[in-house]
Coordinates of all heavy atoms in Angstrom, one line a residue:
M286 N 4.9 -1.7 14.7 CA 4.8 -3.1 14.5 C 3.8 -3.4 13.4 O 2.8 -2.8 13.3 CB 4.4 -3.8 15.8 CG 4.3 -5.3 15.8 SD 3.9 -6.1 17.3 CE 5.3 -5.7 18.3
V287 N 4.2 -4.3 12.5 CA 3.4 -4.7 11.4 C 3.0 -6.2 11.5 O 3.8 -7.0 11.8 CB 4.1 -4.5 10.1 CG1 3.3 -4.9 8.9 CG2 4.5 -3.0 9.9
H288 N 1.7 -6.5 11.3 CA 1.2 -7.9 11.4 C 0.9 -8.4 10.0 O 0.4 -7.7 9.2 CB 0.0 -7.9 12.3 CG 0.2 -7.6 13.7 ND1 0.2 -6.2 14.1 CD2 0.5 -8.3 14.8 CE1 0.5 -6.2 15.4 NE2 0.7 -7.4 15.8
S289 N 1.2 -9.7 9.8 CA 0.9 -10.4 8.6 C 0.2 -11.7 9.0 O 0.3 -12.2 10.1 CB 2.1 -10.7 7.8 OG 2.8 -9.6 7.4
L290 N -0.7 -12.2 8.0 CA -1.4 -13.4 8.3 C -1.5 -14.2 7.0 O -1.7 -13.6 5.9 CB -2.8 -13.1 8.8 CG -3.8 -14.2 8.9 CD1 -3.4 -15.1 10.1 CD2 -5.2 -13.7 9.1
S291 N -1.4 -15.5 7.0 CA -1.6 -16.3 5.8 C -2.2 -17.7 6.2 O -2.0 -18.2 7.4 CB -0.3 -16.6 5.1 OG 0.6 -17.4 5.8
L292 N -3.0 -18.2 5.4 CA -3.7 -19.5 5.6 C -3.4 -20.4 4.4 O -3.5 -19.9 3.2 CB -5.2 -19.3 5.7 CG -5.7 -18.4 6.9 CD1 -7.2 -18.1 6.7 CD2 -5.4 -19.1 8.2
S293 N -3.1 -21.6 4.6 CA -2.7 -22.6 3.5 C -3.6 -23.8 3.6 O -3.9 -24.3 4.7 CB -1.3 -23.0 3.6 OG -0.4 -21.9 3.3
Y294 N -3.9 -24.4 2.5 CA -4.6 -25.7 2.4 C -3.8 -26.5 1.5 O -3.5 -26.1 0.4 CB -6.1 -25.5 1.9 CG -6.8 -26.7 1.8 CD1 -7.4 -27.3 3.0 CD2 -7.0 -27.4 0.6 CE1 -8.1 -28.5 3.0 CE2 -7.7 -28.6 0.6 CZ -8.3 -29.1 1.8 OH -9.0 -30.3 1.7
V295 N -3.5 -27.8 1.9 CA -2.7 -28.7 1.1 C -3.4 -30.0 0.9 O -4.0 -30.6 1.8 CB -1.3 -29.0 1.9 CG1 -0.5 -29.9 1.1 CG2 -0.6 -27.7 2.2
E296 N -3.4 -30.4 -0.4 CA -3.9 -31.7 -0.8 C -2.8 -32.5 -1.4 O -1.7 -32.1 -1.4 CB -5.1 -31.5 -1.8 CG -6.4 -31.3 -1.2 CD -7.0 -32.5 -0.4 OE1 -6.7 -33.7 -0.8 OE2 -7.6 -32.3 0.6
D297 N -3.1 -33.7 -2.0 CA -2.1 -34.5 -2.6 C -1.2 -33.8 -3.6 O 0.0 -33.9 -3.6 CB -2.7 -35.8 -3.2 CG -3.3 -36.7 -2.1 OD1 -2.8 -36.6 -1.0 OD2 -4.2 -37.5 -2.5
N298 N -1.8 -33.2 -4.6 CA -1.1 -32.6 -5.7 C -1.3 -31.1 -5.9 O -1.0 -30.6 -7.0 CB -1.3 -33.4 -7.0 CG -2.7 -33.4 -7.4 OD1 -3.6 -33.1 -6.7 ND2 -3.0 -33.8 -8.7
W299 N -2.0 -30.5 -5.0 CA -2.2 -29.1 -5.1 C -2.3 -28.4 -3.7 O -2.5 -29.1 -2.7 CB -3.5 -28.7 -5.9 CG -4.8 -29.2 -5.3 CD1 -5.4 -30.4 -5.3 CD2 -5.6 -28.4 -4.4 NE1 -6.5 -30.4 -4.6 CE2 -6.7 -29.2 -4.0 CE3 -5.6 -27.0 -4.0 CZ2 -7.7 -28.7 -3.2 CZ3 -6.6 -26.6 -3.2 CH2 -7.6 -27.4 -2.8
N300 N -2.1 -27.1 -3.7 CA -2.2 -26.4 -2.5 C -2.6 -24.9 -2.8 O -2.4 -24.5 -3.9 CB -1.0 -26.5 -1.6 CG 0.2 -25.9 -2.2 OD1 0.2 -24.8 -2.7 ND2 1.4 -26.5 -2.1
A301 N -3.2 -24.3 -1.8 CA -3.6 -22.9 -2.0 C -3.3 -22.1 -0.7 O -3.4 -22.6 0.4 CB -5.1 -22.8 -2.3
T302 N -2.8 -20.9 -0.9 CA -2.5 -20.0 0.2 C -3.1 -18.6 -0.1 O -3.1 -18.1 -1.2 CB -1.0 -19.8 0.3 OG1 -0.4 -21.1 0.5 CG2 -0.6 -18.9 1.5
I303 N -3.7 -18.0 0.9 CA -4.2 -16.6 0.9 C -3.6 -15.9 2.1 O -3.3 -16.5 3.1 CB -5.8 -16.5 0.8 CG1 -6.4 -17.2 2.1 CG2 -6.3 -17.1 -0.4 CD1 -7.8 -16.9 2.2
G304 N -3.5 -14.6 1.9 CA -2.9 -13.9 3.1 C -2.9 -12.4 2.9 O -3.4 -11.9 1.9
A305 N -2.4 -11.7 3.9 CA -2.4 -10.3 3.9 C -1.1 -9.8 4.6 O -0.8 -10.4 5.7 CB -3.6 -9.7 4.6
R306 N -0.4 -8.9 4.1 CA 0.8 -8.3 4.7 C 0.3 -6.9 5.2 O -0.5 -6.2 4.6 CB 1.9 -8.1 3.7 CG 2.5 -9.4 3.3 CD 3.7 -9.2 2.3 NE 4.1 -10.4 1.7 CZ 3.6 -10.8 0.5 NH1 2.8 -10.0 -0.3 NH2 4.0 -11.9 0.0
N307 N 0.8 -6.5 6.4 CA 0.4 -5.3 7.0 C -1.1 -5.3 7.2 O -1.9 -4.4 6.8 CB 0.8 -4.0 6.2 CG 0.7 -2.7 7.0 OD1 0.3 -2.7 8.2 ND2 1.0 -1.6 6.4
L308 N -1.6 -6.3 7.9 CA -3.0 -6.6 8.1 C -3.8 -5.5 8.6 O -4.9 -5.3 8.1 CB -3.1 -7.8 9.1 CG -4.5 -8.4 9.3 CD1 -5.0 -9.0 8.0 CD2 -4.4 -9.5 10.4
F309 N -3.3 -4.7 9.5 CA -4.1 -3.6 10.1 C -3.8 -2.2 9.4 O -4.2 -1.2 9.8 CB -3.9 -3.5 11.6 CG -4.3 -4.7 12.3 CD1 -3.3 -5.5 13.0 CD2 -5.6 -5.1 12.3 CE1 -3.6 -6.6 13.6 CE2 -5.9 -6.3 13.0 CZ -5.0 -7.0 13.7
D310 N -3.1 -2.3 8.2 CA -2.8 -1.1 7.4 C -2.2 0.0 8.2 O -2.5 1.2 8.1 CB -4.1 -0.6 6.7 CG -3.8 0.2 5.5 OD1 -2.7 0.2 5.0 OD2 -4.7 1.0 5.1
E311 N -1.1 -0.4 9.0 CA -0.4 0.6 9.8 C 0.5 1.4 8.9 O 1.2 0.9 8.1 CB 0.4 -0.1 10.9 CG -0.4 -0.8 11.9 CD -1.1 0.1 12.9 OE1 -0.5 1.2 13.1 OE2 -2.2 -0.2 13.3
A312 N 0.5 2.7 9.1 CA 1.4 3.6 8.4 C 2.7 3.6 9.1 O 2.8 3.5 10.3 CB 0.8 5.0 8.4
P313 N 3.8 3.8 8.3 CA 5.1 3.9 8.9 C 5.2 5.2 9.7 O 4.5 6.2 9.5 CB 6.1 3.9 7.7 CG 5.3 4.3 6.6 CD 3.9 3.9 6.9
P314 N 6.1 5.2 10.7 CA 6.3 6.4 11.6 C 6.9 7.5 10.7 O 7.6 7.3 9.8 CB 7.3 5.9 12.7 CG 8.0 4.8 12.1 CD 7.1 4.1 11.1
K315 N 6.6 8.7 11.1 CA 7.2 9.9 10.5 C 8.6 10.2 11.0 O 8.8 10.0 12.2 CB 6.3 11.1 10.7 CG 4.9 11.0 10.2 CD 4.9 11.0 8.7 CE 3.5 11.0 8.2 NZ 3.4 10.9 6.7
V316 N 9.5 10.5 10.2 CA 10.9 10.8 10.6 C 11.4 12.1 10.0 O 10.8 12.6 9.0 CB 11.8 9.6 10.2 CG1 11.4 8.3 10.9 CG2 11.8 9.4 8.7
D317 N 12.5 12.5 10.5 CA 13.2 13.7 9.9 C 14.0 13.2 8.7 O 14.9 12.4 8.9 CB 14.0 14.4 11.0 CG 14.7 15.6 10.5 OD1 14.5 16.0 9.3 OD2 15.4 16.3 11.3
G318 N 13.7 13.7 7.5 CA 14.5 13.3 6.3 C 15.9 13.7 6.3 O 16.7 13.1 5.5
N319 N 16.3 14.5 7.2 CA 17.8 14.9 7.3 C 18.6 13.9 8.1 O 19.8 13.9 8.0 CB 17.9 16.3 8.0 CG 17.3 17.4 7.2 OD1 17.4 17.4 5.9 ND2 16.7 18.4 7.8
E320 N 17.9 13.0 8.9 CA 18.6 12.1 9.7 C 18.7 10.7 9.1 O 19.6 9.9 9.4 CB 18.0 12.1 11.1 CG 18.2 13.4 11.8 CD 17.6 13.3 13.2 OE1 17.3 12.2 13.7 OE2 17.4 14.4 13.8
V321 N 17.6 10.2 8.4 CA 17.6 8.9 7.8 C 17.1 9.0 6.4 O 16.4 10.0 6.1 CB 16.7 7.9 8.6 CG1 17.2 7.7 10.0 CG2 15.3 8.4 8.7
S322 N 17.3 8.0 5.6 CA 16.8 8.0 4.2 C 15.3 7.9 4.3 O 14.7 7.0 5.0 CB 17.3 6.8 3.4 OG 18.7 6.9 3.3
S323 N 14.5 8.7 3.6 CA 13.1 8.7 3.7 C 12.4 9.1 2.4 O 13.0 9.7 1.6 CB 12.6 9.7 4.8 OG 12.9 11.0 4.5
V324 N 11.2 8.8 2.3 CA 10.3 9.2 1.2 C 9.0 9.7 1.9 O 8.4 9.0 2.6 CB 9.9 8.0 0.3 CG1 8.9 8.5 -0.7 CG2 11.2 7.5 -0.4
N325 N 8.7 11.0 1.6 CA 7.5 11.6 2.3 C 7.5 11.5 3.8 O 6.5 11.1 4.4 CB 6.2 11.1 1.7 CG 6.1 11.4 0.2 OD1 6.5 12.4 -0.3 ND2 5.4 10.5 -0.5
N326 N 8.7 11.7 4.4 CA 8.8 11.6 5.8 C 8.6 10.2 6.4 O 8.3 10.0 7.6 CB 8.0 12.6 6.6 CG 8.4 14.0 6.3 OD1 9.5 14.3 6.0 ND2 7.4 14.9 6.4
A327 N 8.7 9.1 5.6 CA 8.6 7.8 6.1 C 9.9 7.1 5.8 O 10.5 7.2 4.7 CB 7.5 7.0 5.4
P328 N 10.5 6.3 6.7 CA 11.8 5.7 6.6 C 11.7 4.6 5.5 O 10.8 3.8 5.4 CB 12.1 5.0 7.9 CG 10.7 4.8 8.5 CD 9.9 5.9 8.0
I329 N 12.8 4.5 4.6 CA 12.9 3.5 3.6 C 14.0 2.5 4.0 O 14.9 2.9 4.7 CB 13.1 4.0 2.2 CG1 14.4 4.9 2.2 CG2 11.9 4.8 1.7 CD1 14.7 5.4 0.8
G330 N 13.8 1.3 3.7 CA 14.8 0.3 4.0 C 14.7 -0.2 5.4 O 15.7 -0.9 5.9
Y331 N 13.7 0.0 6.2 CA 13.5 -0.4 7.5 C 12.4 -1.4 7.7 O 11.9 -1.6 8.8 CB 13.3 0.8 8.5 CG 14.6 1.6 8.5 CD1 14.7 2.7 7.7 CD2 15.6 1.3 9.4 CE1 15.8 3.5 7.7 CE2 16.7 2.1 9.4 CZ 16.8 3.2 8.6 OH 18.0 4.0 8.6
G332 N 11.9 -2.1 6.7 CA 10.9 -3.1 6.8 C 9.5 -2.6 6.6 O 8.5 -3.3 6.8
Y333 N 9.3 -1.3 6.4 CA 7.9 -0.7 6.2 C 7.5 -0.7 4.8 O 8.3 -0.4 3.9 CB 7.9 0.7 6.8 CG 8.1 0.8 8.2 CD1 9.3 1.2 8.8 CD2 7.1 0.5 9.1 CE1 9.5 1.3 10.1 CE2 7.2 0.6 10.5 CZ 8.5 1.0 11.0 OH 8.6 1.0 12.3
N334 N 6.3 -1.1 4.5 CA 5.8 -1.1 3.2 C 5.0 0.2 3.0 O 4.0 0.5 3.6 CB 4.8 -2.3 3.0 CG 4.3 -2.4 1.6 OD1 4.4 -1.4 0.8 ND2 3.7 -3.5 1.2
L335 N 5.4 1.1 2.1 CA 4.8 2.4 1.9 C 3.5 2.3 1.1 O 2.7 3.2 1.1 CB 5.7 3.3 1.1 CG 7.1 3.6 1.8 CD1 7.9 4.5 0.9 CD2 6.9 4.2 3.1
S336 N 3.2 1.1 0.6 CA 1.9 0.9 -0.1 C 0.7 0.5 0.8 O -0.4 0.5 0.4 CB 2.0 -0.2 -1.2 OG 3.1 0.1 -2.1
G337 N 1.0 0.2 2.1 CA -0.1 -0.2 3.0 C -0.3 -1.6 3.0 O 0.6 -2.4 2.7
R338 N -1.6 -2.0 3.2 CA -2.0 -3.4 3.2 C -1.8 -4.1 1.8 O -2.2 -3.5 0.8 CB -3.4 -3.6 3.7 CG -3.9 -5.0 3.8 CD -5.4 -5.1 4.2 NE -5.6 -4.4 5.4 CZ -6.5 -3.4 5.6 NH1 -7.2 -3.0 4.5 NH2 -6.7 -2.8 6.7
T339 N -1.3 -5.3 1.8 CA -1.2 -6.1 0.6 C -1.9 -7.4 0.7 O -1.6 -8.1 1.7 CB 0.3 -6.3 0.2 OG1 1.0 -5.0 0.2 CG2 0.4 -7.0 -1.1
L340 N -2.8 -7.7 -0.2 CA -3.5 -9.0 -0.2 C -2.9 -9.9 -1.3 O -2.5 -9.4 -2.3 CB -5.0 -8.8 -0.4 CG -5.7 -7.9 0.6 CD1 -7.1 -7.7 0.1 CD2 -5.6 -8.5 2.0
Y341 N -2.8 -11.2 -1.0 CA -2.3 -12.1 -2.1 C -2.9 -13.4 -2.0 O -3.5 -13.8 -1.0 CB -0.7 -12.2 -1.9 CG -0.3 -12.8 -0.6 CD1 -0.1 -14.2 -0.5 CD2 0.0 -12.1 0.5 CE1 0.3 -14.8 0.7 CE2 0.4 -12.6 1.7 CZ 0.6 -14.0 1.8 OH 1.0 -14.5 2.9
A342 N -2.8 -14.2 -3.1 CA -3.3 -15.5 -3.2 C -2.3 -16.3 -4.1 O -1.8 -15.8 -5.1 CB -4.7 -15.6 -3.9
N343 N -2.0 -17.5 -3.7 CA -1.1 -18.4 -4.4 C -1.7 -19.8 -4.6 O -2.2 -20.4 -3.6 CB 0.2 -18.5 -3.6 CG 1.2 -19.4 -4.3 OD1 1.3 -19.3 -5.5 ND2 2.0 -20.2 -3.6
F344 N -1.8 -20.2 -5.8 CA -2.3 -21.6 -6.1 C -1.2 -22.4 -6.8 O -0.6 -21.9 -7.7 CB -3.6 -21.5 -7.0 CG -4.7 -20.7 -6.4 CD1 -4.8 -19.3 -6.7 CD2 -5.5 -21.2 -5.5 CE1 -5.8 -18.5 -6.2 CE2 -6.5 -20.5 -4.9 CZ -6.7 -19.1 -5.2
E345 N -1.1 -23.6 -6.4 CA 0.0 -24.5 -7.0 C -0.6 -25.8 -7.3 O -1.4 -26.4 -6.5 CB 1.1 -24.6 -6.0 CG 2.2 -25.5 -6.5 CD 3.3 -25.7 -5.5 OE1 3.3 -25.0 -4.4 OE2 4.2 -26.5 -5.8
Y346 N -0.3 -26.3 -8.5 CA -0.7 -27.7 -8.9 C 0.5 -28.4 -9.4 O 1.2 -27.9 -10.3 CB -1.8 -27.6 -10.0 CG -2.3 -29.0 -10.3 CD1 -3.3 -29.6 -9.6 CD2 -1.8 -29.7 -11.4 CE1 -3.8 -30.9 -9.9 CE2 -2.3 -30.9 -11.8 CZ -3.3 -31.5 -11.0 OH -3.7 -32.8 -11.3
R347 N 0.7 -29.6 -8.9 CA 1.9 -30.4 -9.4 C 1.4 -31.5 -10.3 O 0.6 -32.4 -9.9 CB 2.6 -31.0 -8.1 CG 3.3 -29.9 -7.3 CD 3.9 -30.5 -6.0 NE 2.9 -31.1 -5.1 CZ 2.2 -30.4 -4.3 NH1 2.2 -29.0 -4.3 NH2 1.4 -31.0 -3.4
F348 N 1.9 -31.5 -11.5 CA 1.6 -32.6 -12.5 C 2.4 -33.8 -12.3 O 3.6 -33.7 -11.9 CB 1.8 -32.0 -13.9 CG 0.8 -30.9 -14.3 CD1 1.2 -29.6 -14.1 CD2 -0.4 -31.2 -14.7 CE1 0.4 -28.6 -14.4 CE2 -1.3 -30.1 -15.0 CZ -0.9 -28.8 -14.9
G349 N 1.9 -35.0 -12.6 CA 2.7 -36.2 -12.5 C 2.6 -36.8 -11.1 O 2.0 -36.2 -10.2
S350 N 3.3 -37.9 -10.9 CA 3.4 -38.5 -9.6 C 4.6 -38.0 -8.8 O 5.6 -37.7 -9.3 CB 3.4 -40.0 -9.7 OG 4.6 -40.4 -10.4
N351 N 4.4 -38.0 -7.5 CA 5.6 -37.6 -6.6 C 6.3 -38.8 -6.1 O 6.0 -39.6 -5.5 CB 5.0 -36.7 -5.4 CG 4.5 -35.4 -6.0 OD1 4.6 -35.1 -7.1 ND2 3.8 -34.7 -5.1

């Protein structure tokens, strides 16, 4: 199981979001490469991120009136 978290703040013409994917840096389960598609004994295409935890930030500003 992989956990993600994000927080957003919204104002009239701007907003900001910060977050983390794979919050606890869980490694994918080991599998037999002969039975499923894998890279380094980790399944690919099953929702696991082989890079581990990912942090991100998004900032948006809207010009003009809405």
Side-chain angles (χ1 to χ4, degrees):
M286 183 177 295
V287 177
H288 295 86
S289 298
L290 174 72
S291 65
L292 300 170
S293 296
Y294 182 78
V295 178
E296 275 293 326
D297 291 336
N298 59 347
W299 67 275
N300 63 47
T302 303
I303 58 171
R306 293 181 191 96
N307 194 3
L308 186 62
F309 300 115
D310 201 17
E311 292 290 327
K315 299 291 185 186
V316 296
D317 182 0
N319 295 324
E320 296 181 16
V321 297
S322 299
S323 66
V324 173
N325 296 330
N326 293 334
I329 57 174
Y331 293 94
Y333 294 102
N334 183 348
L335 300 179
S336 301
R338 182 183 305 123
T339 305
L340 304 175
Y341 62 90
N343 181 37
F344 301 97
E345 178 183 355
Y346 184 83
R347 292 176 297 280
F348 294 94
S350 62
N351 293 350

